Short mmCIF file of all heavy atoms in Angstrom, two decimals:
data_model
loop_
_atom_site.label_atom_id
_atom_site.label_comp_id
_atom_site.label_asym_id
_atom_site.label_seq_id
_atom_site.Cartn_x
_atom_site.Cartn_y
_atom_site.Cartn_z
N VAL A 1 42.40 163.84 -128.60
CA VAL A 1 42.42 163.68 -130.05
C VAL A 1 43.28 162.47 -130.46
O VAL A 1 42.90 161.72 -131.37
CB VAL A 1 42.93 164.97 -130.73
CG1 VAL A 1 43.21 164.75 -132.21
CG2 VAL A 1 41.91 166.10 -130.54
N ILE A 2 44.40 162.26 -129.82
CA ILE A 2 45.31 161.18 -130.22
C ILE A 2 44.62 159.81 -130.22
O ILE A 2 44.69 159.10 -131.23
CB ILE A 2 46.60 161.20 -129.37
CG1 ILE A 2 47.45 162.43 -129.75
CG2 ILE A 2 47.40 159.91 -129.56
CD1 ILE A 2 48.64 162.66 -128.84
N PRO A 3 43.93 159.43 -129.14
CA PRO A 3 43.27 158.11 -129.19
C PRO A 3 42.19 158.04 -130.28
O PRO A 3 41.99 156.99 -130.89
CB PRO A 3 42.65 157.94 -127.81
CG PRO A 3 43.31 158.93 -126.94
CD PRO A 3 43.83 160.02 -127.81
N ALA A 4 41.49 159.15 -130.53
CA ALA A 4 40.48 159.15 -131.59
C ALA A 4 41.13 158.90 -132.95
O ALA A 4 40.62 158.12 -133.76
CB ALA A 4 39.70 160.46 -131.59
N CYS A 5 42.26 159.55 -133.19
CA CYS A 5 42.99 159.35 -134.44
C CYS A 5 43.49 157.92 -134.58
O CYS A 5 43.60 157.40 -135.69
CB CYS A 5 44.16 160.32 -134.55
SG CYS A 5 43.65 162.04 -134.75
N ARG A 6 43.80 157.31 -133.46
CA ARG A 6 44.28 155.92 -133.46
C ARG A 6 43.13 154.91 -133.39
O ARG A 6 43.38 153.71 -133.24
CB ARG A 6 45.25 155.70 -132.29
CG ARG A 6 46.53 156.47 -132.45
CD ARG A 6 47.46 156.24 -131.29
NE ARG A 6 48.72 156.93 -131.52
CZ ARG A 6 49.62 157.18 -130.58
NH1 ARG A 6 49.40 156.79 -129.33
NH2 ARG A 6 50.72 157.83 -130.87
N ARG A 7 41.90 155.45 -133.43
CA ARG A 7 40.69 154.63 -133.38
C ARG A 7 40.58 153.85 -132.06
O ARG A 7 40.02 152.77 -132.01
CB ARG A 7 40.60 153.72 -134.60
CG ARG A 7 40.71 154.50 -135.91
CD ARG A 7 40.53 153.69 -137.15
NE ARG A 7 39.16 153.29 -137.43
CZ ARG A 7 38.17 154.09 -137.83
NH1 ARG A 7 38.39 155.38 -137.96
NH2 ARG A 7 36.97 153.61 -138.09
N ARG A 8 41.12 154.44 -131.01
CA ARG A 8 40.99 153.88 -129.65
C ARG A 8 39.86 154.63 -128.96
O ARG A 8 40.07 155.46 -128.09
CB ARG A 8 42.30 154.07 -128.87
CG ARG A 8 43.48 153.29 -129.37
CD ARG A 8 43.44 151.82 -128.94
NE ARG A 8 42.97 151.60 -127.57
CZ ARG A 8 43.71 151.69 -126.48
NH1 ARG A 8 44.99 151.98 -126.56
NH2 ARG A 8 43.18 151.47 -125.29
N PHE A 9 38.64 154.34 -129.40
CA PHE A 9 37.49 155.13 -128.97
C PHE A 9 37.13 154.92 -127.50
O PHE A 9 36.55 155.80 -126.88
CB PHE A 9 36.30 154.87 -129.89
CG PHE A 9 36.59 155.26 -131.31
CD1 PHE A 9 36.62 154.31 -132.31
CD2 PHE A 9 36.87 156.59 -131.63
CE1 PHE A 9 36.90 154.67 -133.62
CE2 PHE A 9 37.16 156.95 -132.94
CZ PHE A 9 37.18 156.00 -133.93
N ASP A 10 37.50 153.78 -126.94
CA ASP A 10 37.27 153.57 -125.51
C ASP A 10 38.09 154.57 -124.69
O ASP A 10 37.57 155.22 -123.78
CB ASP A 10 37.61 152.13 -125.11
CG ASP A 10 39.03 151.72 -125.50
OD1 ASP A 10 39.55 152.22 -126.53
OD2 ASP A 10 39.64 150.91 -124.76
N LYS A 11 39.35 154.71 -125.04
CA LYS A 11 40.23 155.67 -124.35
C LYS A 11 39.81 157.10 -124.65
O LYS A 11 39.79 157.96 -123.77
CB LYS A 11 41.69 155.43 -124.75
CG LYS A 11 42.67 156.26 -123.97
CD LYS A 11 44.11 155.89 -124.28
CE LYS A 11 45.05 156.70 -123.43
NZ LYS A 11 46.45 156.38 -123.70
N HIS A 12 39.47 157.36 -125.92
CA HIS A 12 39.01 158.69 -126.33
C HIS A 12 37.80 159.11 -125.48
O HIS A 12 37.76 160.23 -124.96
CB HIS A 12 38.64 158.68 -127.82
CG HIS A 12 37.91 159.89 -128.27
ND1 HIS A 12 38.52 161.11 -128.48
CD2 HIS A 12 36.59 160.08 -128.55
CE1 HIS A 12 37.61 161.99 -128.86
NE2 HIS A 12 36.43 161.39 -128.91
N LYS A 13 36.86 158.22 -125.33
CA LYS A 13 35.63 158.53 -124.58
C LYS A 13 35.94 158.81 -123.10
O LYS A 13 35.39 159.75 -122.52
CB LYS A 13 34.65 157.37 -124.71
CG LYS A 13 33.31 157.64 -124.08
CD LYS A 13 32.36 156.47 -124.34
CE LYS A 13 31.02 156.72 -123.70
NZ LYS A 13 30.08 155.61 -123.94
N ARG A 14 36.82 158.02 -122.51
CA ARG A 14 37.19 158.22 -121.09
C ARG A 14 37.80 159.61 -120.87
O ARG A 14 37.47 160.30 -119.90
CB ARG A 14 38.17 157.14 -120.62
CG ARG A 14 37.53 155.86 -120.21
CD ARG A 14 38.46 154.97 -119.39
NE ARG A 14 39.79 154.78 -119.95
CZ ARG A 14 40.12 153.85 -120.82
NH1 ARG A 14 39.22 153.01 -121.28
NH2 ARG A 14 41.37 153.75 -121.24
N ILE A 15 38.69 160.01 -121.76
CA ILE A 15 39.35 161.31 -121.62
C ILE A 15 38.41 162.46 -122.00
O ILE A 15 38.39 163.50 -121.34
CB ILE A 15 40.65 161.36 -122.46
CG1 ILE A 15 41.61 160.27 -121.98
CG2 ILE A 15 41.30 162.73 -122.38
CD1 ILE A 15 42.79 160.05 -122.91
N ALA A 16 37.61 162.23 -123.04
CA ALA A 16 36.69 163.28 -123.52
C ALA A 16 35.67 163.68 -122.45
O ALA A 16 35.23 164.83 -122.42
CB ALA A 16 35.98 162.82 -124.78
N ARG A 17 35.32 162.77 -121.58
CA ARG A 17 34.38 163.09 -120.49
C ARG A 17 34.91 164.19 -119.57
O ARG A 17 34.15 164.90 -118.94
CB ARG A 17 34.05 161.85 -119.67
CG ARG A 17 33.18 160.90 -120.41
CD ARG A 17 32.84 159.71 -119.57
NE ARG A 17 32.08 158.78 -120.39
CZ ARG A 17 31.37 157.80 -119.92
NH1 ARG A 17 31.31 157.59 -118.62
NH2 ARG A 17 30.71 157.01 -120.73
N TRP A 18 36.22 164.29 -119.49
CA TRP A 18 36.85 165.34 -118.69
C TRP A 18 37.19 166.56 -119.55
O TRP A 18 37.08 167.70 -119.11
CB TRP A 18 38.14 164.81 -118.04
CG TRP A 18 37.85 163.75 -117.03
CD1 TRP A 18 37.88 162.40 -117.22
CD2 TRP A 18 37.47 163.96 -115.68
NE1 TRP A 18 37.54 161.75 -116.06
CE2 TRP A 18 37.28 162.69 -115.09
CE3 TRP A 18 37.27 165.09 -114.89
CZ2 TRP A 18 36.90 162.53 -113.77
CZ3 TRP A 18 36.90 164.92 -113.56
CH2 TRP A 18 36.73 163.65 -113.02
N THR A 19 37.60 166.30 -120.77
CA THR A 19 38.03 167.39 -121.65
C THR A 19 36.87 168.28 -122.06
O THR A 19 37.01 169.52 -122.05
CB THR A 19 38.72 166.81 -122.92
OG1 THR A 19 39.80 165.99 -122.51
CG2 THR A 19 39.23 167.93 -123.82
N LEU A 20 35.75 167.70 -122.42
CA LEU A 20 34.61 168.51 -122.89
C LEU A 20 34.18 169.57 -121.89
O LEU A 20 34.08 170.75 -122.27
CB LEU A 20 33.43 167.62 -123.30
CG LEU A 20 32.19 168.40 -123.75
CD1 LEU A 20 32.47 169.20 -125.01
CD2 LEU A 20 31.01 167.45 -123.95
N PRO A 21 33.92 169.24 -120.62
CA PRO A 21 33.50 170.31 -119.71
C PRO A 21 34.56 171.39 -119.50
O PRO A 21 34.23 172.58 -119.38
CB PRO A 21 33.18 169.58 -118.40
CG PRO A 21 33.42 168.15 -118.61
CD PRO A 21 33.88 167.92 -120.01
N VAL A 22 35.82 170.99 -119.48
CA VAL A 22 36.88 171.99 -119.32
C VAL A 22 36.94 172.90 -120.55
O VAL A 22 36.99 174.13 -120.43
CB VAL A 22 38.25 171.31 -119.07
CG1 VAL A 22 39.38 172.33 -119.11
CG2 VAL A 22 38.24 170.57 -117.74
N TRP A 23 36.89 172.30 -121.74
CA TRP A 23 36.94 173.06 -122.99
C TRP A 23 35.74 174.00 -123.09
O TRP A 23 35.87 175.17 -123.46
CB TRP A 23 36.99 172.08 -124.15
CG TRP A 23 37.46 172.62 -125.47
CD1 TRP A 23 37.74 173.91 -125.79
CD2 TRP A 23 37.71 171.86 -126.65
NE1 TRP A 23 38.14 174.00 -127.11
CE2 TRP A 23 38.13 172.74 -127.65
CE3 TRP A 23 37.60 170.51 -126.95
CZ2 TRP A 23 38.45 172.32 -128.94
CZ3 TRP A 23 37.92 170.08 -128.23
CH2 TRP A 23 38.35 170.99 -129.21
N LEU A 24 34.56 173.49 -122.71
CA LEU A 24 33.37 174.35 -122.71
C LEU A 24 33.52 175.51 -121.73
O LEU A 24 33.21 176.66 -122.06
CB LEU A 24 32.13 173.53 -122.34
CG LEU A 24 31.43 172.83 -123.48
CD1 LEU A 24 30.35 171.89 -122.94
CD2 LEU A 24 30.83 173.82 -124.46
N TYR A 25 34.00 175.21 -120.53
CA TYR A 25 34.18 176.27 -119.53
C TYR A 25 35.13 177.34 -120.05
O TYR A 25 34.86 178.54 -119.93
CB TYR A 25 34.70 175.69 -118.21
CG TYR A 25 34.85 176.74 -117.14
CD1 TYR A 25 33.77 177.10 -116.35
CD2 TYR A 25 36.07 177.39 -116.94
CE1 TYR A 25 33.89 178.08 -115.38
CE2 TYR A 25 36.19 178.38 -115.97
CZ TYR A 25 35.10 178.72 -115.19
OH TYR A 25 35.23 179.70 -114.24
N VAL A 26 36.23 176.91 -120.63
CA VAL A 26 37.23 177.86 -121.14
C VAL A 26 36.64 178.71 -122.27
O VAL A 26 36.83 179.93 -122.30
CB VAL A 26 38.52 177.13 -121.58
CG1 VAL A 26 39.45 178.05 -122.34
CG2 VAL A 26 39.23 176.54 -120.36
N SER A 27 35.92 178.09 -123.18
CA SER A 27 35.37 178.86 -124.30
C SER A 27 34.26 179.81 -123.84
O SER A 27 34.20 180.96 -124.29
CB SER A 27 34.91 177.95 -125.43
OG SER A 27 33.89 177.09 -125.01
N ILE A 28 33.41 179.37 -122.93
CA ILE A 28 32.33 180.24 -122.42
C ILE A 28 32.90 181.38 -121.59
O ILE A 28 32.52 182.54 -121.77
CB ILE A 28 31.31 179.42 -121.61
CG1 ILE A 28 30.55 178.47 -122.53
CG2 ILE A 28 30.36 180.33 -120.84
CD1 ILE A 28 29.74 177.40 -121.81
N THR A 29 33.82 181.07 -120.68
CA THR A 29 34.38 182.14 -119.84
C THR A 29 35.25 183.09 -120.65
O THR A 29 35.40 184.26 -120.28
CB THR A 29 35.17 181.58 -118.64
OG1 THR A 29 36.18 180.69 -119.10
CG2 THR A 29 34.23 180.88 -117.66
N GLY A 30 35.81 182.62 -121.76
CA GLY A 30 36.55 183.53 -122.65
C GLY A 30 35.64 184.63 -123.17
O GLY A 30 36.03 185.80 -123.21
N VAL A 31 34.43 184.28 -123.53
CA VAL A 31 33.45 185.27 -123.98
C VAL A 31 33.07 186.19 -122.83
O VAL A 31 32.99 187.42 -122.99
CB VAL A 31 32.20 184.59 -124.58
CG1 VAL A 31 31.13 185.63 -124.94
CG2 VAL A 31 32.57 183.75 -125.79
N ILE A 32 32.85 185.63 -121.65
CA ILE A 32 32.45 186.43 -120.49
C ILE A 32 33.55 187.41 -120.10
O ILE A 32 33.28 188.59 -119.82
CB ILE A 32 32.06 185.52 -119.30
CG1 ILE A 32 30.79 184.75 -119.65
CG2 ILE A 32 31.89 186.34 -118.02
CD1 ILE A 32 30.45 183.63 -118.68
N VAL A 33 34.80 186.97 -120.11
CA VAL A 33 35.93 187.86 -119.79
C VAL A 33 35.96 189.01 -120.79
O VAL A 33 36.13 190.18 -120.42
CB VAL A 33 37.27 187.10 -119.76
CG1 VAL A 33 38.46 188.04 -119.79
CG2 VAL A 33 37.33 186.18 -118.54
#
């Protein structure tokens, strides 16, 4: 979120590629648990 707020979209995109799958896994497995 920090780079997105700072309009550093190149950095935001690099980190988001890792964050999105982890965040999705956590939210989906939360429902499964």
Side-chain angles (χ1 to χ4, degrees):
V1 169
I2 290 172
C5 292
R6 293 180 176 164
R7 306 184 74 71
R8 293 281 320 277
F9 299 116
D10 55 328
K11 187 174 183 180
H12 168 76
K13 185 176 179 180
R14 277 196 312 273
I15 299 169
R17 288 182 184 196
W18 293 96
T19 304
L20 177 64
V22 172
W23 198 353
L24 274 171
Y25 182 85
V26 169
S27 61
I28 292 167
T29 56
V31 175
I32 293 169
V33 166

